[in-house]
PDB file of all heavy atoms in Angstrom:
ATOM      1  N   LYS A   1      -5.478  -0.998  -2.462  1.00 95.00           N
ATOM      2  CA  LYS A   1      -5.966  -2.375  -2.615  1.00 95.00           C
ATOM      3  C   LYS A   1      -5.999  -2.818  -4.076  1.00 95.00           C
ATOM      4  O   LYS A   1      -6.015  -4.014  -4.365  1.00 95.00           O
ATOM      5  CB  LYS A   1      -7.376  -2.496  -2.013  1.00 95.00           C
ATOM      6  CG  LYS A   1      -7.418  -2.291  -0.506  1.00 95.00           C
ATOM      7  CD  LYS A   1      -8.805  -2.517   0.053  1.00 95.00           C
ATOM      8  CE  LYS A   1      -9.752  -1.416  -0.343  1.00 95.00           C
ATOM      9  NZ  LYS A   1     -11.059  -1.514   0.361  1.00 95.00           N
ATOM     10  N   TYR A   2      -6.011  -1.849  -4.995  1.00 96.00           N
ATOM     11  CA  TYR A   2      -6.135  -2.181  -6.420  1.00 96.00           C
ATOM     12  C   TYR A   2      -4.837  -1.982  -7.197  1.00 96.00           C
ATOM     13  O   TYR A   2      -4.821  -2.101  -8.420  1.00 96.00           O
ATOM     14  CB  TYR A   2      -7.255  -1.327  -7.040  1.00 96.00           C
ATOM     15  CG  TYR A   2      -8.554  -1.430  -6.281  1.00 96.00           C
ATOM     16  CD1 TYR A   2      -8.959  -0.417  -5.415  1.00 96.00           C
ATOM     17  CD2 TYR A   2      -9.360  -2.557  -6.402  1.00 96.00           C
ATOM     18  CE1 TYR A   2     -10.151  -0.516  -4.704  1.00 96.00           C
ATOM     19  CE2 TYR A   2     -10.549  -2.670  -5.689  1.00 96.00           C
ATOM     20  CZ  TYR A   2     -10.936  -1.644  -4.843  1.00 96.00           C
ATOM     21  OH  TYR A   2     -12.103  -1.750  -4.129  1.00 96.00           O
ATOM     22  N   VAL A   3      -3.752  -1.687  -6.476  1.00 96.00           N
ATOM     23  CA  VAL A   3      -2.448  -1.518  -7.131  1.00 96.00           C
ATOM     24  C   VAL A   3      -1.851  -2.895  -7.396  1.00 96.00           C
ATOM     25  O   VAL A   3      -1.667  -3.687  -6.478  1.00 96.00           O
ATOM     26  CB  VAL A   3      -1.487  -0.687  -6.249  1.00 96.00           C
ATOM     27  CG1 VAL A   3      -0.103  -0.627  -6.885  1.00 96.00           C
ATOM     28  CG2 VAL A   3      -2.043   0.713  -6.047  1.00 96.00           C
ATOM     29  N   ARG A   4      -1.545  -3.169  -8.652  1.00 94.00           N
ATOM     30  CA  ARG A   4      -1.021  -4.499  -9.001  1.00 94.00           C
ATOM     31  C   ARG A   4       0.486  -4.594  -8.779  1.00 94.00           C
ATOM     32  O   ARG A   4       0.975  -5.595  -8.281  1.00 94.00           O
ATOM     33  CB  ARG A   4      -1.364  -4.815 -10.468  1.00 94.00           C
ATOM     34  CG  ARG A   4      -2.849  -5.069 -10.710  1.00 94.00           C
ATOM     35  CD  ARG A   4      -3.101  -5.621 -12.093  1.00 94.00           C
ATOM     36  NE  ARG A   4      -2.881  -4.615 -13.122  1.00 94.00           N
ATOM     37  CZ  ARG A   4      -3.839  -3.799 -13.577  1.00 94.00           C
ATOM     38  NH1 ARG A   4      -5.051  -3.858 -13.054  1.00 94.00           N
ATOM     39  NH2 ARG A   4      -3.586  -2.921 -14.530  1.00 94.00           N
ATOM     40  N   LYS A   5       1.222  -3.551  -9.143  1.00 93.00           N
ATOM     41  CA  LYS A   5       2.669  -3.560  -8.971  1.00 93.00           C
ATOM     42  C   LYS A   5       3.031  -2.654  -7.805  1.00 93.00           C
ATOM     43  O   LYS A   5       3.119  -1.436  -7.944  1.00 93.00           O
ATOM     44  CB  LYS A   5       3.359  -3.089 -10.257  1.00 93.00           C
ATOM     45  CG  LYS A   5       4.874  -3.247 -10.219  1.00 93.00           C
ATOM     46  CD  LYS A   5       5.504  -2.827 -11.531  1.00 93.00           C
ATOM     47  CE  LYS A   5       7.018  -2.974 -11.491  1.00 93.00           C
ATOM     48  NZ  LYS A   5       7.656  -2.556 -12.769  1.00 93.00           N
ATOM     49  N   GLN A   6       3.261  -3.251  -6.653  1.00 95.00           N
ATOM     50  CA  GLN A   6       3.537  -2.485  -5.444  1.00 95.00           C
ATOM     51  C   GLN A   6       5.040  -2.204  -5.304  1.00 95.00           C
ATOM     52  O   GLN A   6       5.843  -3.121  -5.284  1.00 95.00           O
ATOM     53  CB  GLN A   6       3.051  -3.243  -4.208  1.00 95.00           C
ATOM     54  CG  GLN A   6       1.563  -3.498  -4.177  1.00 95.00           C
ATOM     55  CD  GLN A   6       1.144  -4.254  -2.929  1.00 95.00           C
ATOM     56  OE1 GLN A   6       1.979  -4.675  -2.116  1.00 95.00           O
ATOM     57  NE2 GLN A   6      -0.157  -4.458  -2.769  1.00 95.00           N
ATOM     58  N   THR A   7       5.372  -0.913  -5.209  1.00 96.00           N
ATOM     59  CA  THR A   7       6.749  -0.535  -4.892  1.00 96.00           C
ATOM     60  C   THR A   7       6.787  -0.175  -3.406  1.00 96.00           C
ATOM     61  O   THR A   7       5.749   0.059  -2.785  1.00 96.00           O
ATOM     62  CB  THR A   7       7.197   0.682  -5.721  1.00 96.00           C
ATOM     63  OG1 THR A   7       6.386   1.812  -5.361  1.00 96.00           O
ATOM     64  CG2 THR A   7       7.052   0.408  -7.202  1.00 96.00           C
ATOM     65  N   GLU A   8       7.990  -0.129  -2.843  1.00 96.00           N
ATOM     66  CA  GLU A   8       8.092   0.197  -1.420  1.00 96.00           C
ATOM     67  C   GLU A   8       7.577   1.607  -1.145  1.00 96.00           C
ATOM     68  O   GLU A   8       6.939   1.851  -0.115  1.00 96.00           O
ATOM     69  CB  GLU A   8       9.540   0.074  -0.932  1.00 96.00           C
ATOM     70  CG  GLU A   8       9.668   0.263   0.575  1.00 96.00           C
ATOM     71  CD  GLU A   8      11.050  -0.079   1.100  1.00 96.00           C
ATOM     72  OE1 GLU A   8      12.014   0.095   0.348  1.00 96.00           O
ATOM     73  OE2 GLU A   8      11.152  -0.516   2.254  1.00 96.00           O
ATOM     74  N   GLU A   9       7.800   2.515  -2.086  1.00 96.00           N
ATOM     75  CA  GLU A   9       7.329   3.894  -1.899  1.00 96.00           C
ATOM     76  C   GLU A   9       5.809   3.942  -1.831  1.00 96.00           C
ATOM     77  O   GLU A   9       5.240   4.627  -0.967  1.00 96.00           O
ATOM     78  CB  GLU A   9       7.828   4.783  -3.048  1.00 96.00           C
ATOM     79  CG  GLU A   9       7.459   6.247  -2.863  1.00 96.00           C
ATOM     80  CD  GLU A   9       7.969   7.123  -3.992  1.00 96.00           C
ATOM     81  OE1 GLU A   9       8.549   6.588  -4.956  1.00 96.00           O
ATOM     82  OE2 GLU A   9       7.761   8.364  -3.917  1.00 96.00           O
ATOM     83  N   ILE A  10       5.150   3.216  -2.715  1.00 96.00           N
ATOM     84  CA  ILE A  10       3.686   3.188  -2.718  1.00 96.00           C
ATOM     85  C   ILE A  10       3.174   2.561  -1.425  1.00 96.00           C
ATOM     86  O   ILE A  10       2.212   3.052  -0.810  1.00 96.00           O
ATOM     87  CB  ILE A  10       3.156   2.403  -3.942  1.00 96.00           C
ATOM     88  CG1 ILE A  10       3.496   3.155  -5.235  1.00 96.00           C
ATOM     89  CG2 ILE A  10       1.649   2.200  -3.845  1.00 96.00           C
ATOM     90  CD1 ILE A  10       3.155   2.402  -6.502  1.00 96.00           C
ATOM     91  N   CYS A  11       3.815   1.489  -0.995  1.00 97.00           N
ATOM     92  CA  CYS A  11       3.416   0.816   0.247  1.00 97.00           C
ATOM     93  C   CYS A  11       3.573   1.734   1.452  1.00 97.00           C
ATOM     94  O   CYS A  11       2.701   1.777   2.335  1.00 97.00           O
ATOM     95  CB  CYS A  11       4.234  -0.457   0.451  1.00 97.00           C
ATOM     96  SG  CYS A  11       3.925  -1.753  -0.772  1.00 97.00           S
ATOM     97  N   LEU A  12       4.675   2.464   1.509  1.00 97.00           N
ATOM     98  CA  LEU A  12       4.942   3.363   2.627  1.00 97.00           C
ATOM     99  C   LEU A  12       3.889   4.469   2.708  1.00 97.00           C
ATOM    100  O   LEU A  12       3.423   4.826   3.796  1.00 97.00           O
ATOM    101  CB  LEU A  12       6.338   3.971   2.508  1.00 97.00           C
ATOM    102  CG  LEU A  12       7.508   3.031   2.827  1.00 97.00           C
ATOM    103  CD1 LEU A  12       8.831   3.672   2.432  1.00 97.00           C
ATOM    104  CD2 LEU A  12       7.525   2.657   4.308  1.00 97.00           C
ATOM    105  N   ILE A  13       3.525   5.012   1.552  1.00 96.00           N
ATOM    106  CA  ILE A  13       2.507   6.067   1.521  1.00 96.00           C
ATOM    107  C   ILE A  13       1.172   5.523   2.014  1.00 96.00           C
ATOM    108  O   ILE A  13       0.449   6.175   2.781  1.00 96.00           O
ATOM    109  CB  ILE A  13       2.364   6.639   0.103  1.00 96.00           C
ATOM    110  CG1 ILE A  13       3.628   7.423  -0.284  1.00 96.00           C
ATOM    111  CG2 ILE A  13       1.137   7.538  -0.009  1.00 96.00           C
ATOM    112  CD1 ILE A  13       3.648   7.881  -1.723  1.00 96.00           C
ATOM    113  N   ALA A  14       0.833   4.307   1.596  1.00 96.00           N
ATOM    114  CA  ALA A  14      -0.455   3.708   1.969  1.00 96.00           C
ATOM    115  C   ALA A  14      -0.545   3.453   3.469  1.00 96.00           C
ATOM    116  O   ALA A  14      -1.516   3.852   4.123  1.00 96.00           O
ATOM    117  CB  ALA A  14      -0.665   2.416   1.194  1.00 96.00           C
ATOM    118  N   VAL A  15       0.461   2.795   4.033  1.00 97.00           N
ATOM    119  CA  VAL A  15       0.402   2.443   5.465  1.00 97.00           C
ATOM    120  C   VAL A  15       0.624   3.651   6.376  1.00 97.00           C
ATOM    121  O   VAL A  15       0.209   3.643   7.532  1.00 97.00           O
ATOM    122  CB  VAL A  15       1.408   1.323   5.809  1.00 97.00           C
ATOM    123  CG1 VAL A  15       1.109   0.069   5.012  1.00 97.00           C
ATOM    124  CG2 VAL A  15       2.851   1.770   5.579  1.00 97.00           C
ATOM    125  N   ALA A  16       1.265   4.689   5.849  1.00 96.00           N
ATOM    126  CA  ALA A  16       1.464   5.907   6.642  1.00 96.00           C
ATOM    127  C   ALA A  16       0.133   6.613   6.883  1.00 96.00           C
ATOM    128  O   ALA A  16      -0.040   7.309   7.883  1.00 96.00           O
ATOM    129  CB  ALA A  16       2.431   6.849   5.943  1.00 96.00           C
ATOM    130  N   GLN A  17      -0.806   6.423   5.969  1.00 95.00           N
ATOM    131  CA  GLN A  17      -2.122   7.041   6.102  1.00 95.00           C
ATOM    132  C   GLN A  17      -3.129   6.121   6.782  1.00 95.00           C
ATOM    133  O   GLN A  17      -4.056   6.580   7.435  1.00 95.00           O
ATOM    134  CB  GLN A  17      -2.650   7.448   4.719  1.00 95.00           C
ATOM    135  CG  GLN A  17      -1.785   8.484   4.031  1.00 95.00           C
ATOM    136  CD  GLN A  17      -2.351   8.881   2.696  1.00 95.00           C
ATOM    137  OE1 GLN A  17      -3.202   9.751   2.589  1.00 95.00           O
ATOM    138  NE2 GLN A  17      -1.903   8.215   1.646  1.00 95.00           N
ATOM    139  N   ASN A  18      -2.938   4.832   6.594  1.00 95.00           N
ATOM    140  CA  ASN A  18      -3.837   3.847   7.203  1.00 95.00           C
ATOM    141  C   ASN A  18      -3.031   2.585   7.491  1.00 95.00           C
ATOM    142  O   ASN A  18      -2.725   1.820   6.585  1.00 95.00           O
ATOM    143  CB  ASN A  18      -5.009   3.539   6.266  1.00 95.00           C
ATOM    144  CG  ASN A  18      -6.012   2.577   6.868  1.00 95.00           C
ATOM    145  OD1 ASN A  18      -5.776   1.982   7.925  1.00 95.00           O
ATOM    146  ND2 ASN A  18      -7.149   2.403   6.215  1.00 95.00           N
ATOM    147  N   GLY A  19      -2.695   2.382   8.765  1.00 95.00           N
ATOM    148  CA  GLY A  19      -1.861   1.245   9.139  1.00 95.00           C
ATOM    149  C   GLY A  19      -2.443  -0.099   8.745  1.00 95.00           C
ATOM    150  O   GLY A  19      -1.709  -1.052   8.481  1.00 95.00           O
ATOM    151  N   HIS A  20      -3.771  -0.186   8.677  1.00 95.00           N
ATOM    152  CA  HIS A  20      -4.413  -1.457   8.337  1.00 95.00           C
ATOM    153  C   HIS A  20      -4.220  -1.846   6.872  1.00 95.00           C
ATOM    154  O   HIS A  20      -4.525  -2.986   6.493  1.00 95.00           O
ATOM    155  CB  HIS A  20      -5.902  -1.402   8.678  1.00 95.00           C
ATOM    156  CG  HIS A  20      -6.169  -1.417  10.154  1.00 95.00           C
ATOM    157  ND1 HIS A  20      -5.900  -2.513  10.937  1.00 95.00           N
ATOM    158  CD2 HIS A  20      -6.654  -0.470  10.990  1.00 95.00           C
ATOM    159  CE1 HIS A  20      -6.222  -2.250  12.192  1.00 95.00           C
ATOM    160  NE2 HIS A  20      -6.673  -1.021  12.257  1.00 95.00           N
ATOM    161  N   MET A  21      -3.737  -0.908   6.048  1.00 96.00           N
ATOM    162  CA  MET A  21      -3.428  -1.239   4.657  1.00 96.00           C
ATOM    163  C   MET A  21      -2.276  -2.233   4.573  1.00 96.00           C
ATOM    164  O   MET A  21      -1.998  -2.794   3.514  1.00 96.00           O
ATOM    165  CB  MET A  21      -3.080   0.033   3.875  1.00 96.00           C
ATOM    166  CG  MET A  21      -4.267   0.884   3.472  1.00 96.00           C
ATOM    167  SD  MET A  21      -5.343   0.080   2.256  1.00 96.00           S
ATOM    168  CE  MET A  21      -6.750  -0.313   3.263  1.00 96.00           C
ATOM    169  N   LEU A  22      -1.617  -2.479   5.709  1.00 96.00           N
ATOM    170  CA  LEU A  22      -0.530  -3.465   5.747  1.00 96.00           C
ATOM    171  C   LEU A  22      -1.040  -4.841   5.343  1.00 96.00           C
ATOM    172  O   LEU A  22      -0.276  -5.669   4.832  1.00 96.00           O
ATOM    173  CB  LEU A  22       0.072  -3.519   7.158  1.00 96.00           C
ATOM    174  CG  LEU A  22       1.325  -4.380   7.342  1.00 96.00           C
ATOM    175  CD1 LEU A  22       2.472  -3.840   6.500  1.00 96.00           C
ATOM    176  CD2 LEU A  22       1.738  -4.427   8.814  1.00 96.00           C
ATOM    177  N   SER A  23      -2.309  -5.090   5.544  1.00 96.00           N
ATOM    178  CA  SER A  23      -2.894  -6.380   5.175  1.00 96.00           C
ATOM    179  C   SER A  23      -2.890  -6.596   3.660  1.00 96.00           C
ATOM    180  O   SER A  23      -3.011  -7.728   3.189  1.00 96.00           O
ATOM    181  CB  SER A  23      -4.331  -6.478   5.692  1.00 96.00           C
ATOM    182  OG  SER A  23      -5.148  -5.472   5.102  1.00 96.00           O
ATOM    183  N   CYS A  24      -2.736  -5.519   2.887  1.00 96.00           N
ATOM    184  CA  CYS A  24      -2.733  -5.617   1.420  1.00 96.00           C
ATOM    185  C   CYS A  24      -1.326  -5.624   0.829  1.00 96.00           C
ATOM    186  O   CYS A  24      -1.171  -5.772  -0.389  1.00 96.00           O
ATOM    187  CB  CYS A  24      -3.533  -4.459   0.823  1.00 96.00           C
ATOM    188  SG  CYS A  24      -5.241  -4.351   1.368  1.00 96.00           S
ATOM    189  N   VAL A  25      -0.325  -5.449   1.670  1.00 97.00           N
ATOM    190  CA  VAL A  25       1.064  -5.414   1.190  1.00 97.00           C
ATOM    191  C   VAL A  25       1.524  -6.824   0.844  1.00 97.00           C
ATOM    192  O   VAL A  25       1.416  -7.740   1.653  1.00 97.00           O
ATOM    193  CB  VAL A  25       1.994  -4.793   2.262  1.00 97.00           C
ATOM    194  CG1 VAL A  25       3.453  -4.870   1.812  1.00 97.00           C
ATOM    195  CG2 VAL A  25       1.596  -3.355   2.538  1.00 97.00           C
TER     196      VAL A  25
END
């Protein structure tokens, strides 16, 4: 939630652990 520069790799790691993190992508 606090990552300012989101890369696809960072996004994939986040949603793979918690699908609801998709709301922050």
